[in-house]
Amino acid sequence: MLRRDISHTVKNKSYLQALFVQECRNYGKAYTMVHEEPPGPVIKTNIPGPHSKKLLKDMMEIQQCGSVNLFANYEKCAGNYFADADGNLFLDVYTQISSLPLGYNHPALLNAFRCDSEVRALVNRPALGVFPADDWPRKLKNVLLSVAPPGLRHVMTMMCGACSNENAFKAAFILYCTRKRGGRTTFTEEEMKTALLNIPPGAPDLSIMSFKGLNNNGAFHGRTLGTLSTTKSKAIHKLDFPSFKWPVARFPEYRYPLEACICENSHEDRECLAHVEAQFQKWEKIRPIAGVIIEPIQAEGGDNHASPEFFQGLQQICKRRGAALILDEVQTGCGPTGKMWCHEHFNLPSPPDIVTFSKKMLTGGFYFKPEYLPPQPLRIFNTWMGDPSRMIMLQEVIKVIRTEKLLQLVEETGKFLKCGLHALEAQFPFMINSVRGRGTFLAFDAATPELRDNIIKYLRQNGVLGGACGIRSVRLRPALIFKQKHAELFLEILNNTLWQLKFSCRS
Amino acid sequence: MLRRDISHTVKNKSYLQALFVQECRNYGKAYTMVHEEPPGPVIKTNIPGPHSKKLLKDMMEIQQCGSVNLFANYEKCAGNYFADADGNLFLDVYTQISSLPLGYNHPALLNAFRCDSEVRALVNRPALGVFPADDWPRKLKNVLLSVAPPGLRHVMTMMCGACSNENAFKAAFILYCTRKRGGRTTFTEEEMKTALLNIPPGAPDLSIMSFKGLNNNGAFHGRTLGTLSTTKSKAIHKLDFPSFKWPVARFPEYRYPLEACICENSHEDRECLAHVEAQFQKWEKIRPIAGVIIEPIQAEGGDNHASPEFFQGLQQICKRRGAALILDEVQTGCGPTGKMWCHEHFNLPSPPDIVTFSKKMLTGGFYFKPEYLPPQPLRIFNTWMGDPSRMIMLQEVIKVIRTEKLLQLVEETGKFLKCGLHALEAQFPFMINSVRGRGTFLAFDAATPELRDNIIKYLRQNGVLGGACGIRSVRLRPALIFKQKHAELFLEILNNTLWQLKFSCRS
């Protein structure tokens, strides 16, 4: 399977005419064109193609959009396949920075807004903290709480991941300060006055601790100035922006393959937990730590993993220190690790204090323990507080996850895919290594950053959209509908790509 | 007109059965029920009614939602009328914290998602900074730039108002630092390293200046920790949250009526501008000011106005000091002052550096001068960078604003409404005063905070949803489709309400 001809993508061109079987489904006079997935990628131009290049030039006149890779034709995207503006079709294992749970144009989502009531929810976006719809409490319960992390029964909605983390910080600060006041829920004149002046005691010098990873490439929790202070991914995300001077602890740096390095990695866990303790000690006098935010898998930072034991130890420390443990499941949440929430893999003795989400969940927000309910309203608040139209979509997503047993699919496909990646790292030991991950939330490292960039670039030219992370990692973030046949195709194209690169290095 | 019987709302109950004339419009087999506006409010229960109370209790088990006023039945809302879960109908002059440009269930919006391509834009929400749709550059141009503030031709989209301001700050910091580096657009090792450590020079100690208003009730720019540092509205928005220690200048505090206090207010302008200058001087050595953010009308803080001369002077100072002038038009933008952008009333000699928007614009974002284009990509960036489905809605909103000449309507209705409010402040001089505003973006003060709260409460019971702001102000934020007949009705009910309160005070 891994040795098929490198001209696969070229051969596929012959399918082009037959690719889009249009299943017309009749809804009154309205049609929904549901494209079928093609049997494989179709690449007709250099990537980016001339149309994408032209559009990029147009858009550059309006904004700095040098980060744009390709322009899409969303009409023609289907399932796991992304269609670009030049008529190319890619197998997408990156899915809009991991934010499409069901891939493209899933019929369940296309049909979610067929009813007037859904359209009304979309066009009458309320201020959810003031005038929610009468079905909103039921939706919070039947949709969001139906997939809540075990043990959590409270949730706030927000618009995006950064906003979810910002407000999780606030929940942590509120509880920390309320406890420090001995439970007092009223405020003194001085507290009220100094809060408006941005100084203690009203605006206390507290902190949120986050984690740096390998080569300083660590946590990513968002780009608003508050969350950015906890983000430790890349300098370019942070340069020129003022930042809260908040503590940072070491995220474990494991050696791979894990099975061969158990003792070493377990020692690393203990070292890192000791470092966490030391930070609590050190910052107690400077800027006490009210919360600790951590990704179950540091994604943007390079798909850095830590063991269940590390997370269990971290939870113990946070409990003892009275700091909130905030699990940022913005990228890991909603199924890609084979469980709804990645931290379910960690066997924590009790639920995390706060779990934040966005991306595949389509709506932002956070789950939390009841002690994090603010004693007063209007403190975790903003105009929209989320978006009911995204809840309608999430409802459909959850239905499909259940009826199509997608968590099981993710686990099965993930096993197959990981196995194939291990075979490739054995085959190309000087090119790729450190295959890791859970479910289809997988990654591997390239020998050098340059090689990594080339793998991404060549994959693209060969019809696969993959994502980079960290300094030399490739991350796979397929949709939950990614099946074994897609994994086979991906592995085949990756294999071909690595051969190409091996050959081009030698020549 | 202002003296009609106080039982008006009671009499209206008889219209109840005839209220909702359902115009069924046939789209294939799909129907759009477009309710007609009722002739007036219908109040059948105490406010909040039993159903709203029950729903609030349910929702309180899931989150702290003490800020919720009423639960809505969005099915039955129509135009300027809000329907609650208990079958009550309110004339809405608050419109979801000023975020509904065309009121409820406008046919143009209900029909905006009739085509498959619009539904696809909704369900395939892309990472706009990486894989935008091929029609995105055209939409930025034809929709957002078609209503850009005069002189601005660049725009970034974001998800909400706070995020728009956060990123406007970033744009200001980037230009400030680039200039300080003498235009150098590469970074030193030290800058890269310290950025990840949250310390200068990579993460410089720069600041954004904002404005405090009357009684410390001032600016509102959002609730994320960065924007919250510039927010000076209410202590409860800020208590327990760490904050950047950033400068704050005095926003003019005018005496009303303006015509009678020209000399005094002009002196106040000069004092405040001198205070701005003094802050630049003072903070140069502490935390230099890279940007100044200001609302054209401080809304949340109490509808505090400043003169065109003040804004002209502020722009001059910012220019001279090399700081970005950021106009936060999140609440004032998109027409409610009778111009698309409130600052168009100020006759600024050149465009503001940055203009942020959200709410009525439905998508967040900011317009900016070309020098604020970041030299590198990925610095003003996040996963979604806005939402194409909101752009589809905005496109419809702009069409309706044009075809129905809504800016003109706002101006005319505003004149009528303001005139009526002046009549009421003359009639109830010991109860309300300081009528002010532009277009229908109007406000008045109550004699005391308690009276203000009672006005809002009694208005609600009489069938009008109004909003509070500042310490003792009532703000009017009707939709752009608010007509003279609605203003008449509002004035009548306000008149009745003031009589009621006058009577209840005496008894």
Side-chain angles (χ1 to χ4, degrees):
Chain A
M1 183 268 302
L2 290 178
R3 302 231 175 140
R4 255 197 256 163
D5 192 277
I6 191 164
S7 64
H8 171 92
T9 54
V10 179
K11 279 196 286 182
N12 249 341
K13 281 189 190 176
S14 59
Y15 289 107
L16 186 66
Q17 302 312 319
L19 268 187
F20 293 128
V21 178
Q22 298 181 344
E23 291 178 11
C24 298
R25 294 181 184 183
N26 212 328
Y27 294 88
K29 279 183 193 163
Y31 292 96
T32 299
M33 309 290 205
V34 180
H35 296 300
E36 275 189 0
E37 279 195 339
V42 182
I43 300 302
K44 299 154 64 184
T45 70
N46 281 330
I47 307 302
H51 196 196
S52 265
K53 277 186 180 164
K54 162 75 172 61
L55 288 167
L56 187 64
K57 211 179 136 216
D58 292 351
M59 194 153 135
M60 276 296 219
E61 283 173 24
I62 299 171
Q63 58 185 226
Q64 165 54 276
C65 56
S67 55
V68 167
N69 284 328
L70 290 170
F71 286 84
N73 181 336
Y74 286 109
E75 197 82 21
K76 293 189 176 162
C77 293
N80 293 282
Y81 285 84
F82 172 93
D84 79 359
D86 288 277
N88 301 300
L89 273 171
F90 302 82
L91 179 65
D92 192 351
V93 296
Y94 192 41
T95 57
Q96 308 292 333
I97 320 183
S98 198
S99 69
L100 295 180
L102 305 181
Y104 297 98
N105 286 319
H106 194 287
L109 295 180
L110 286 174
N111 293 327
F113 293 89
R114 288 279 152 203
C115 291
D116 271 1
S117 63
E118 274 73 39
V119 173
R120 283 183 211 278
L122 174 64
V123 307
N124 297 306
R125 176 166 50 174
L128 282 169
V130 197
F131 304 105
D134 49 9
D135 64 356
W136 191 242
R138 201 182 64 231
K139 279 200 176 148
L140 288 176
K141 201 174 154 194
N142 294 351
V143 182
L144 277 178
L145 292 187
S146 80
V147 292
L152 297 181
R153 284 181 298 274
H154 293 82
V155 70
M156 292 297 285
T157 51
M158 290 287 152
M159 288 286 284
C160 71
C163 206
S164 305
N165 285 335
E166 288 268 348
N167 282 282
F169 295 176
K170 287 185 168 187
F173 290 131
I174 290 172
L175 182 61
Y176 187 94
C177 291
T178 308
R179 280 182 181 154
K180 215 172 158 192
R181 282 190 293 268
R184 171 166 60 83
T185 56
T186 55
F187 300 100
T188 65
E189 269 301 309
E190 193 200 3
E191 284 161 352
M192 308 260 279
K193 198 177 145 194
T194 51
L196 280 166
L197 297 173
N198 296 14
I199 56 173
D205 272 333
L206 296 174
S207 66
I208 300 288
M209 180 157 69
S210 61
F211 289 83
K212 64 181 173 186
L214 201 62
N215 298 317
N216 261 328
N217 245 236
F220 185 91
H221 301 295
R223 291 163 172 272
T224 49
L225 294 184
T227 58
L228 192 64
S229 300
T230 63
T231 285
K232 301 282 166 182
S233 44
K234 293 185 182 68
I236 194 69
H237 300 164
K238 292 166 70 80
L239 275 154
D240 294 342
F241 306 143
S243 187
F244 288 109
K245 278 137 200 81
W246 284 353
V248 61
R250 274 187 49 213
F251 193 87
E253 296 173 16
Y254 292 156
R255 295 205 51 179
Y256 286 83
L258 293 178
E259 312 78 62
C261 314
I262 291 171
C263 189
E264 228 167 319
N265 292 341
S266 160
H267 179 257
E268 173 70 359
D269 277 351
R270 288 192 300 278
E271 292 268 304
C272 288
L273 289 172
H275 192 243
V276 167
E277 279 279 18
Q279 297 306 304
F280 269 104
Q281 194 75 30
K282 177 181 161 191
W283 287 78
E284 187 56 38
K285 293 280 158 58
I286 311 171
R287 227 163 262 131
I289 299 169
V292 173
I293 186 163
I294 189 165
E295 297 152 278
I297 302 166
Q298 283 189 336
E300 179 71 26
D303 271 32
N304 308 323
H305 285 257
S307 68
E309 293 72 26
F310 174 78
F311 282 97
Q312 291 158 17
L314 181 63
Q315 187 179 44
Q316 271 186 1
I317 297 173
C318 287
K319 252 184 199 164
R320 201 171 54 245
R321 295 285 185 171
L325 176 59
I326 305 168
L327 285 189
D328 176 344
E329 293 242 26
V330 168
Q331 189 152 162
T332 49
C334 202
T337 67
K339 293 189 185 287
M340 193 68 194
W341 305 100
C342 182
H343 75 266
E344 293 179 64
H345 291 284
F346 299 158
N347 299 314
L348 296 176
S350 65
D353 296 304
I354 300 177
V355 176
T356 64
F357 57 83
S358 187
K359 292 199 191 269
K360 281 193 176 60
M361 290 289 283
L362 303 179
T363 172
F366 60 102
Y367 297 102
F368 57 99
K369 284 187 176 168
E371 54 263 41
Y372 289 87
L373 280 165
Q376 305 87 357
L378 291 169
R379 303 185 69 186
I380 308 266
F381 184 87
N382 55 51
T383 297
W384 286 320
M385 307 268 292
D387 183 340
S389 70
R390 297 293 161 186
M391 192 74 106
I392 289 168
M393 290 173 61
L394 177 61
Q395 187 164 21
E396 294 304 313
V397 168
I398 292 170
K399 261 189 225 162
V400 173
I401 288 177
R402 281 182 183 139
T403 55
E404 298 185 15
K405 297 193 174 55
L406 292 186
L407 296 186
Q408 199 180 318
L409 178 67
V410 165
E411 209 186 309
E412 288 163 8
T413 311
K415 261 186 203 155
F416 176 84
L417 185 54
K418 198 175 183 183
C419 184
L421 289 171
H422 277 309
L424 286 173
E425 75 177 336
Q427 200 185 345
F428 299 93
F430 299 105
M431 296 179 78
I432 65 167
N433 59 68
S434 305
V435 168
R436 59 197 180 274
R438 298 178 183 276
T440 54
F441 197 104
L442 298 172
F444 58 87
D445 285 354
T448 65
E450 296 69 36
L451 178 60
R452 190 275 310 271
D453 292 349
N454 270 329
I455 291 175
I456 299 285
K457 191 175 145 194
Y458 278 62
L459 274 176
R460 191 158 295 178
Q461 191 62 51
N462 291 334
V464 167
L465 293 186
C469 65
I471 290 171
R472 53 195 186 91
S473 307
V474 174
R475 59 175 152 177
L476 309 185
R477 297 292 181 271
L480 306 178
I481 56 165
F482 197 73
K483 293 183 178 159
Q484 183 168 327
K485 67 173 180 182
H486 303 111
E488 276 175 21
L489 197 53
F490 168 74
L491 289 166
E492 181 189 332
I493 296 172
L494 177 58
N495 176 52
N496 293 343
T497 301
L498 292 171
W499 276 114
Q500 263 182 307
L501 281 162
K502 197 171 173 179
F503 181 76
S504 76
C505 286
R506 279 189 194 155
S507 65
Chain B
M1 186 269 299
L2 288 180
R3 301 233 176 141
R4 255 196 258 162
D5 192 280
I6 191 164
S7 64
H8 171 93
T9 55
V10 179
K11 279 195 287 182
N12 250 341
K13 282 187 188 176
S14 59
Y15 289 107
L16 186 67
Q17 300 315 316
L19 268 186
F20 293 129
V21 179
Q22 298 181 345
E23 291 179 11
C24 298
R25 294 183 185 182
N26 212 328
Y27 294 88
K29 280 182 193 165
Y31 291 96
T32 300
M33 309 291 206
V34 181
H35 296 300
E36 274 189 0
E37 280 195 339
V42 182
I43 300 302
K44 299 154 64 184
T45 71
N46 281 330
I47 308 300
H51 197 196
S52 266
K53 276 186 182 165
K54 163 72 173 60
L55 289 168
L56 187 63
K57 213 180 133 215
D58 293 350
M59 194 154 135
M60 274 296 218
E61 284 174 21
I62 300 171
Q63 59 184 226
Q64 165 56 275
C65 56
S67 54
V68 167
N69 284 328
L70 290 170
F71 287 83
N73 181 337
Y74 286 109
E75 197 81 22
K76 293 188 175 163
C77 293
N80 294 281
Y81 284 84
F82 171 92
D84 81 358
D86 288 278
N88 300 300
L89 274 171
F90 302 82
L91 179 65
D92 192 351
V93 296
Y94 191 39
T95 57
Q96 309 291 334
I97 319 180
S98 198
S99 68
L100 295 180
L102 305 181
Y104 297 98
N105 287 318
H106 195 286
L109 294 179
L110 286 174
N111 292 328
F113 294 90
R114 288 280 153 204
C115 290
D116 270 2
S117 64
E118 273 74 38
V119 174
R120 285 182 209 278
L122 175 62
V123 307
N124 299 306
R125 175 167 50 174
L128 282 169
V130 196
F131 304 105
D134 50 10
D135 64 356
W136 191 242
R138 199 181 66 231
K139 279 201 175 148
L140 288 176
K141 200 174 157 195
N142 294 353
V143 182
L144 277 177
L145 292 186
S146 80
V147 291
L152 297 182
R153 283 181 298 273
H154 292 83
V155 70
M156 292 296 285
T157 51
M158 291 287 153
M159 288 286 283
C160 70
C163 206
S164 305
N165 285 336
E166 287 268 348
N167 283 282
F169 295 176
K170 286 185 168 189
F173 290 132
I174 290 173
L175 181 61
Y176 187 93
C177 290
T178 308
R179 279 181 181 155
K180 217 174 157 192
R181 282 191 291 269
R184 170 167 59 85
T185 56
T186 55
F187 300 100
T188 65
E189 269 301 308
E190 193 200 4
E191 283 162 351
M192 308 261 277
K193 197 177 145 194
T194 51
L196 280 167
L197 297 173
N198 296 14
I199 56 174
D205 272 334
L206 296 173
S207 66
I208 300 288
M209 181 156 69
S210 61
F211 289 82
K212 65 181 172 186
L214 201 60
N215 297 315
N216 260 327
N217 246 235
F220 185 91
H221 301 295
R223 290 163 172 269
T224 50
L225 294 183
T227 58
L228 192 63
S229 300
T230 62
T231 284
K232 302 281 166 185
S233 45
K234 292 184 183 69
I236 194 69
H237 299 164
K238 292 167 69 82
L239 275 154
D240 294 342
F241 306 143
S243 188
F244 289 108
K245 278 138 199 81
W246 285 352
V248 60
R250 273 187 51 214
F251 193 88
E253 296 173 18
Y254 292 155
R255 295 204 52 179
Y256 286 84
L258 293 177
E259 313 76 62
C261 314
I262 290 170
C263 190
E264 229 166 318
N265 292 341
S266 160
H267 179 256
E268 173 69 0
D269 277 350
R270 288 192 299 277
E271 291 268 303
C272 288
L273 289 172
H275 193 243
V276 167
E277 280 278 18
Q279 296 306 305
F280 269 105
Q281 194 75 28
K282 176 180 160 190
W283 286 79
E284 186 55 39
K285 291 281 158 57
I286 312 172
R287 225 163 266 131
I289 299 169
V292 173
I293 186 162
I294 189 164
E295 296 152 279
I297 301 166
Q298 283 190 337
E300 178 70 26
D303 271 32
N304 308 323
H305 285 255
S307 68
E309 292 73 28
F310 173 77
F311 282 97
Q312 291 158 16
L314 182 63
Q315 186 179 46
Q316 271 186 1
I317 297 174
C318 287
K319 253 186 200 162
R320 200 171 56 246
R321 295 284 186 170
L325 176 59
I326 304 168
L327 284 190
D328 176 344
E329 294 243 27
V330 168
Q331 191 153 162
T332 48
C334 200
T337 67
K339 294 190 185 284
M340 192 67 194
W341 304 101
C342 183
H343 75 266
E344 294 178 64
H345 292 282
F346 299 159
N347 299 315
L348 297 176
S350 64
D353 296 303
I354 300 177
V355 177
T356 64
F357 56 83
S358 189
K359 290 196 191 275
K360 281 192 176 63
M361 289 289 282
L362 303 179
T363 174
F366 60 100
Y367 297 102
F368 57 99
K369 285 188 175 166
E371 54 264 42
Y372 289 88
L373 279 166
Q376 305 87 357
L378 292 168
R379 303 185 69 185
I380 308 264
F381 185 87
N382 55 50
T383 296
W384 286 320
M385 308 268 293
D387 184 339
S389 69
R390 297 292 160 187
M391 192 76 105
I392 289 168
M393 289 172 61
L394 178 62
Q395 187 165 20
E396 294 304 313
V397 168
I398 291 169
K399 261 189 225 162
V400 173
I401 288 177
R402 282 183 182 139
T403 54
E404 298 184 14
K405 297 192 173 56
L406 291 186
L407 295 185
Q408 198 179 320
L409 178 67
V410 165
E411 209 186 310
E412 286 163 10
T413 310
K415 260 185 203 155
F416 176 84
L417 185 55
K418 197 174 184 184
C419 184
L421 289 171
H422 278 307
L424 285 173
E425 74 177 336
Q427 199 184 346
F428 300 93
F430 299 105
M431 296 180 77
I432 64 168
N433 60 69
S434 304
V435 168
R436 59 198 180 273
R438 298 179 183 276
T440 55
F441 197 105
L442 297 172
F444 58 88
D445 285 352
T448 66
E450 296 70 35
L451 179 59
R452 190 274 311 271
D453 292 347
N454 269 328
I455 292 175
I456 298 286
K457 192 176 144 193
Y458 277 62
L459 273 177
R460 191 157 295 179
Q461 192 62 51
N462 291 335
V464 167
L465 294 187
C469 65
I471 290 172
R472 54 195 187 89
S473 307
V474 173
R475 59 175 152 175
L476 308 186
R477 297 291 180 273
L480 306 177
I481 55 165
F482 198 73
K483 293 183 177 159
Q484 182 167 328
K485 66 174 180 180
H486 304 111
E488 276 174 20
L489 197 53
F490 168 75
L491 289 166
E492 180 189 333
I493 296 173
L494 177 59
N495 176 52
N496 293 343
T497 300
L498 293 171
W499 275 113
Q500 263 182 308
L501 281 163
K502 196 171 174 180
F503 181 76
S504 75
C505 287
R506 279 189 192 156
S507 65

